[in-house]
């Protein structure tokens, strides 16, 4: 397709709505020299992201790629006494030799960075909640409580200093809090509409707010059809970046939602600002400065919400202050953080249209392209398994990024749970590269799917790590990994030329930041869905990580825990026992049923009630319309697949990816297959790929 240069396409009022737009005002400099957002973390790791630019980089270099094999456990603290459940997404911060971390229960702990001993604990009084990190400043530790409460704790004792409920701006519970110069920057999430907030650190009073879906009279409101802005979503659900020298704060806003689903754009015509956009705001007033929208009128939940990364790099022989933006879509937009322009170029590319969805005619792409695949591939059944990481599950309509949908599921990649999603990214001062973990999690979108889309049962959910040069926006190296690294699997880079990242199987890895080669690994005991950090006490460099685990994308198969680890050279604490690793393939809907219970038979296009053993009476295309969805049989069993005579349509069973069978059955017909080897064998229906089943074949030792 033809690519339109963005500067040619965006003129006049169109430029004020599409992509990067700039308000006429300019930021006011502070009287005193402000903190530089690109100063790397050193002895402290004082905030989630390491510094105000979210670079997740440490200037410490005692642990390096040559001696990292000597890294061992310095101490371990099971902060909640050994729990093995819950959702853990919090990243630790380190200030003056003390680590501050939140647990799966939302409790806050202060832990001695040298010994691992707990100094104090704050216990939530409003119930359990998911947290992503505290802020520390002005002698306080700031966290959230349920009911959109902001809580300030005494940094030395953990005692409550003040508590403030924030109402009227959306849900404010999950997003990591950012502290700067007496101000708290607070994001909102998971709601019909949400705002970016600035609060006073002394009392929690709201200083200013900025809506992701503007109301009447606000800039951008006319990009929403009618009153659709009221349920427009566009929440800023990751923490921002701050440039005090420019007096700007940068927020990434989430996808448009709508009254029915984020996949339905039929009632919200327009660009839908500021969904899927990065917005620069005046740090002191919240006034709009500029924005760049990465997805126009999104219907895929591909919202590119990330903690923006700020860096100063040489582009075409000129040092540019840039912001690196982009996550789920698997591409980076390199923007001038002063004005939102794209020094390396962005093109508005025509994309396929669906008038009923009121799709926008173009979507922005960086001129250098994406850093991951953007179309699923049809690798033939019976070839290598698992095969290509962006391999399509059979029988789906195969699509590319931004292919539209209506009532038929269209399968595309990276998927709304793939790309870089909400993992923390890292910019290394040593290599000049930006790094992220990412996922291959293809998704099928249509108005038949609930929530944000269907991740097809049976697909392999893997991932990788990519290093991109932001001065060119080209990939320097890319490494495939066995797990998706898109959900909180943040990266730390260091002056010792190391890259550290945790996996959902509990291993913390250290790679050579220059080429991605593995140098060290350590078993922490639970899935890691947080970022490693580094800090220093009396000349000793420590690496720390919280291993607790979360349910995305591997559900309850991801091992859980409450392991707060610190490591140092020569550390003697041994690794934790290796937990059962996550199940990489997307599970079917429903628990196992022994073959003998159902006469080793699967009924196509019908649901199954495990409690009663009854097969549904109505033909169905539901995801669980295989009766049963999960059949367990010993090796050598012959399984019958039957299309009931009173079904109206031809149905089938396509086994993937081994390709053992691919049959089409008219109503009343049946077929059989004998399973001769242990394993798990997924299959779906040719009529609609949504119904998916699995035959689990085991070796009978009786």
């Amino acid at each position: 397709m033809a690519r339109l240069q963005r500067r040619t396409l965006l003129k006049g009022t169109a430029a004020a709505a599409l992509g990067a737009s700039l308000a006429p005002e300019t930021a006011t400099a502070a009287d005193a020299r402000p903190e530089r957002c690109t100063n790397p973390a050193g002895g402290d790791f004082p905030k989630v992201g390491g510094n105000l630019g979210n670079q997740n980089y440490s200037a410490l270099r005692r642990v390096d790629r040559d001696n990292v094999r000597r890294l061992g456990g310095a101490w371990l603290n099971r902060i909640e006494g050994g729990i093995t459940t819950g959702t853990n997404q919090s990243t630790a911060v380190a200030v003056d030799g003390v680590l501050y971390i939140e647990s799966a229960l939302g409790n806050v702990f202060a832990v001695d960075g040298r010994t691992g001993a707990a100094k104090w604990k704050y216990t939530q009084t409003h119930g359990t909640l998911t947290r992503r990190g505290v802020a520390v400043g002005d002698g306080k530790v700031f966290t959230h409580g349920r009911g959109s409460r902001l809580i300030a704790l005494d940094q030395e004792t953990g005692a409550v200093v003040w508590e403030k409920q924030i109402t009227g701006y959306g849900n404010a519970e999950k997003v990591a809090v950012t502290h700067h110069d007496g101000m708290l920057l607070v994001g909102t999430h998971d709601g019909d509409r949400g705002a970016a907030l600035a609060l006073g650190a002394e009392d929690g009073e709201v200083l200013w707010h900025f809506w992701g879906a503007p109301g009447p009279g606000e800039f951008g409101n006319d990009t929403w059809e009618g009153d659709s802005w009221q349920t427009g979503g566009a929440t800023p659900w990751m923490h921002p970046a701050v440039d005090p020298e420019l007096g700007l704060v940068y927020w990434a806003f989430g996808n448009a939602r709508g009254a029915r689903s984020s996949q339905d754009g039929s009632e919200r015509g327009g660009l839908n600002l500021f969904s899927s956009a990065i917005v620069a705001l005046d740090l002191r007033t919240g006034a709009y400065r500029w924005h760049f929208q990465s997805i126009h009128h999104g219907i895929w939940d591909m919202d590119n919400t990330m903690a923006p990364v700020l860096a100063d790099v040489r582009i075409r022989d000129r040092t540019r202050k840039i912001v690196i933006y982009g996550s789920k879509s698997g591409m980076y937009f390199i923007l001038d953080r002063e004005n939102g322009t794209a020094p390396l170029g962005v093109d508005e590319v025509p994309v396929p249209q669906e008038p009923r969805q009121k799709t926008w005619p173009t979507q922005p792409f960086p001129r250098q392209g994406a850093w991951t695949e953007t179309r699923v591939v049809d690798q033939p059944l019976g070839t290598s398994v698992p095969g290509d990481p962006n391999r399509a599950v059979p029988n789906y309509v195969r699509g590319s990024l931004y292919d539209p949908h209506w009532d038929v599921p269209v399968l595309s990649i990276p998927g709304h749970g793939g790309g870089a999603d909400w993992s923390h990214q890292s910019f290394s001062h040593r290599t000049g590269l930006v790094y992220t973990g990412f996922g291959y999690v293809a998704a099928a979108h249509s108005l038949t799917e609930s929530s944000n889309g269907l991740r097809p049962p049976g697909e392999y959910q893997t991932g990788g790590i990519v290093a991109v040069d932001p001065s060119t926006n080209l990939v320097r190296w890319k490494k495939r990994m066995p797990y998706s690294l898109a959900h909180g699997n943040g990266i730390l880079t260091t002056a010792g030329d190391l890259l550290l990242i945790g996996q959902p199987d509990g291993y913390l890895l250290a790679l050579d930041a220059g080429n991605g080669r593995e140098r060290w690994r350590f078993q922490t005991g639970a899935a890691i869905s947080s970022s490693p950090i580094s800090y220093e006490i009396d000349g000793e460099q420590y690496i720390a990580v919280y291993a607790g685990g979360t349910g995305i994308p591997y559900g309850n198969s991801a091992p859980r825990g409450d392991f707060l680890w610190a490591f140092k050279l020569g550390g003697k604490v041994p690794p934790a026992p290796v937990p059962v690793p996550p199940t990489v393939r997307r599970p079917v809907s429903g628990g196992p049923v022994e073959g003998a219970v159902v006469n080793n038979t699967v009924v196509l296009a019908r649901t199954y009630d495990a409690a009663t053993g009854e097969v549904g009476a109505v033909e169905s295309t539901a995801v669980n319309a295989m009766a049963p969805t999960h059949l367990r049989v010993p090796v050598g069993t012959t399984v019958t697949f039957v299309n009931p005579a009173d079904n109206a349509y031809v149905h089938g069973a396509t086994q993937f990816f081994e390709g053992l069978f691919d049959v089409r059955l008219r109503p009343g017909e049946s077929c059989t297959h004998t399973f001769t080897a242990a394993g798990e064998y997924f299959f779906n229906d040719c009529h609609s790929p949504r119904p998916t089943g699995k035959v689990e074949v085991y070796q009978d030792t009786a």
Side-chain angles (χ1 to χ4, degrees):
M1 290 185 227
R3 289 176 176 260
L4 302 177
Q5 290 193 14
R6 200 174 180 88
R7 63 178 178 271
T8 302
L9 178 71
L10 308 184
K11 296 179 179 179
T13 56
L18 265 167
S21 299
L22 184 67
E25 306 165 73
T26 56
T28 301
D31 292 335
R33 182 173 178 83
E35 178 182 354
R36 293 200 66 205
C37 60
T38 56
N39 287 344
D44 289 344
F45 207 87
K47 66 174 293 291
V48 176
N51 61 4
L52 292 172
N54 292 321
Q55 292 182 333
N56 286 289
Y57 173 80
S58 172
L60 300 179
R61 62 177 67 240
R62 184 175 182 192
V63 181
D64 60 34
R65 61 187 174 190
D66 295 322
N67 63 22
V68 69
R69 294 189 184 281
R70 294 175 44 222
L71 199 64
W75 52 259
L76 166 64
N77 186 331
R78 300 294 302 271
I79 60 175
E80 286 286 7
I83 63 171
T84 56
T85 59
T87 298
N88 299 270
Q89 298 178 358
S90 184
T91 288
V93 300
V95 178
D96 296 333
V98 179
L99 274 60
Y100 301 91
I101 185 70
E102 297 150 322
S103 72
L105 304 179
N107 300 331
V108 183
F109 297 81
V111 176
D112 187 296
R114 187 199 308 272
T115 67
K119 295 172 66 69
W120 54 256
K121 173 185 177 181
Y122 165 75
T123 302
Q124 284 283 352
T125 59
H126 302 289
T128 298
L129 77 166
T130 299
R131 290 289 303 125
R132 290 183 175 165
V134 303
V136 179
D138 298 335
K140 303 178 188 70
V141 177
F142 302 93
T143 188
H144 277 296
R146 289 183 67 179
S148 296
R149 290 175 169 85
L150 189 63
I151 302 166
L153 309 174
D154 184 280
Q155 186 176 345
E156 294 300 320
T157 67
V160 175
V161 178
W162 55 258
E163 182 177 309
K164 183 82 171 180
Q165 190 168 25
I166 309 162
T167 59
Y169 301 100
N171 302 319
E173 296 179 1
K174 183 187 296 184
V175 184
V177 183
T178 297
H179 174 276
H180 173 66
D181 196 21
M183 182 184 296
L184 301 174
L185 299 165
V186 174
T188 55
H189 59 94
D190 303 319
D192 287 341
R193 187 171 180 240
L197 299 166
L199 287 71
E202 284 302 309
D203 52 16
E205 288 296 320
V206 176
L207 302 176
W208 55 257
H209 69 275
F210 185 90
W211 289 106
E218 296 176 324
F219 174 63
N221 175 257
D222 60 352
T223 66
W224 296 85
E225 178 183 0
D227 292 333
S228 61
W229 58 272
Q230 294 181 352
T231 55
T235 59
W237 53 269
M238 287 295 289
H239 59 278
V242 178
D243 188 335
E245 292 180 305
L246 296 178
L248 297 177
V249 56
Y250 306 87
W251 287 95
F253 288 84
N255 59 279
R257 294 171 74 101
R260 291 197 290 260
S261 163
S262 63
Q263 301 172 93
D264 187 351
S266 64
E267 296 180 344
R268 53 172 171 84
L271 283 167
N272 302 154
L273 294 178
F274 293 97
S275 69
S276 302
I278 184 170
V279 182
L281 305 175
D282 186 284
L283 181 58
R284 290 300 163 192
T285 67
Y288 168 88
R289 290 291 178 258
W290 60 260
H291 79 273
F292 176 92
Q293 188 179 45
S294 62
I295 300 173
H296 311 316
H297 187 79
I299 56 173
W300 307 273
D301 187 30
M302 297 291 294
D303 47 355
N304 285 327
T305 304
M306 61 173 286
V309 178
L310 310 183
D312 298 337
V313 302
R314 298 281 294 177
I315 297 178
R316 298 175 182 143
D317 297 323
R318 176 185 167 192
T319 299
R320 302 292 292 262
K321 296 178 180 292
I322 65 166
V323 53
I324 301 160
Y325 168 58
S327 68
K328 287 186 186 180
S329 64
M331 60 187 74
Y332 281 142
F333 298 97
I334 307 299
L335 306 175
D336 187 306
R337 67 178 186 265
E338 296 187 60
N339 55 34
T341 57
L344 295 173
V346 171
D347 296 322
E348 287 287 338
V349 179
V351 293
Q353 296 295 291
E354 169 51 76
R356 292 171 293 183
Q357 285 276 30
K358 301 177 180 175
T359 47
W360 199 260
T362 62
Q363 294 292 345
F365 285 81
R367 199 158 295 159
Q368 302 74 27
W371 45 253
T372 191
E373 296 82 351
T374 57
R375 182 176 177 84
V376 292
V377 296
D378 182 23
Q379 182 178 331
L381 299 176
T383 57
S384 63
V385 178
D388 197 294
N390 55 318
R391 183 181 200 170
V393 171
N395 295 323
Y396 282 90
V397 174
R398 295 182 295 278
S400 296
L401 183 66
Y402 307 138
D403 278 3
H405 54 264
W406 188 248
D407 56 356
V408 174
V410 177
L411 188 67
S412 62
I413 208 161
H416 62 276
D421 207 339
W422 57 270
S423 290
H424 300 163
Q425 305 178 40
S426 178
F427 174 79
S428 170
H429 290 233
R430 284 279 295 175
T431 65
L433 305 179
V434 60
Y435 304 84
T436 187
F438 66 93
Y440 292 105
V441 187
H445 295 287
S446 85
L447 301 191
T448 63
E449 308 308 328
S450 61
S451 187
N452 298 327
L454 174 67
R455 297 165 184 167
E459 74 170 348
Y460 285 89
Q461 302 173 116
T462 63
I465 301 170
V466 65
V468 175
D469 183 345
S471 71
T472 62
N473 207 14
L474 297 176
V475 173
R476 182 70 60 85
W477 59 260
K478 187 175 177 181
K479 183 183 182 74
R480 289 182 177 174
M481 303 296 284
Y483 298 102
S484 172
L485 300 175
H487 294 89
N489 310 95
I491 287 177
L492 170 72
T493 56
T494 75
D497 293 320
L498 289 174
L499 179 160
L500 294 110
I501 187 170
Q503 294 193 144
D505 62 354
Y507 280 103
L508 177 64
L509 309 180
L511 311 181
D512 186 319
N515 54 34
R517 294 193 185 97
E518 184 175 319
R519 311 289 290 187
W520 173 86
R521 66 170 49 207
F522 189 96
Q523 177 55 243
T524 63
I528 299 172
S529 47
S530 65
S531 295
I533 69 169
S534 188
Y535 60 96
E536 185 178 62
I537 300 176
D538 294 336
E540 184 79 64
Q541 182 181 355
Y542 294 82
I543 306 291
V545 74
Y546 182 51
T550 190
I552 304 175
Y554 298 118
N556 290 330
S557 75
R560 303 298 207 277
D562 59 352
F563 300 83
L564 180 61
W565 282 95
F567 306 91
K568 66 179 182 179
L569 294 176
K572 302 299 184 185
V573 180
V578 178
V580 176
T583 301
V584 173
R585 299 189 77 173
R586 190 80 179 170
V588 295
S589 177
V593 175
E594 294 299 325
V597 174
V598 293
N599 197 29
N600 296 325
T601 298
V602 175
V603 181
L604 305 179
R606 298 294 178 96
T607 59
Y608 180 78
D609 188 331
T612 64
E614 294 182 356
V615 174
V618 178
E619 190 173 12
S620 175
T621 58
V623 177
N624 64 340
M626 294 288 184
T629 54
H630 183 174
L631 185 70
R632 289 189 79 248
V633 298
V635 170
T637 299
T638 297
V639 174
T640 299
F641 299 86
V642 59
N643 186 8
D646 54 346
N647 275 352
Y649 298 100
V650 171
H651 292 279
T654 302
Q655 195 281 312
F656 61 94
F657 293 103
E658 293 80 3
L660 299 183
F661 49 85
D662 185 11
V663 297
R664 306 291 187 269
L665 302 174
R666 292 188 294 270
E669 291 185 334
S670 64
C671 69
T672 62
H673 180 82
T674 301
F675 290 88
T676 59
E680 56 178 14
Y681 302 93
F682 287 80
F683 56 94
N684 66 6
D685 191 349
C686 62
H687 174 68
S688 167
R690 302 178 76 251
T692 307
K694 179 177 77 171
V695 178
E696 178 188 346
V697 182
Y698 60 90
Q699 193 70 50
D700 191 353
T701 58

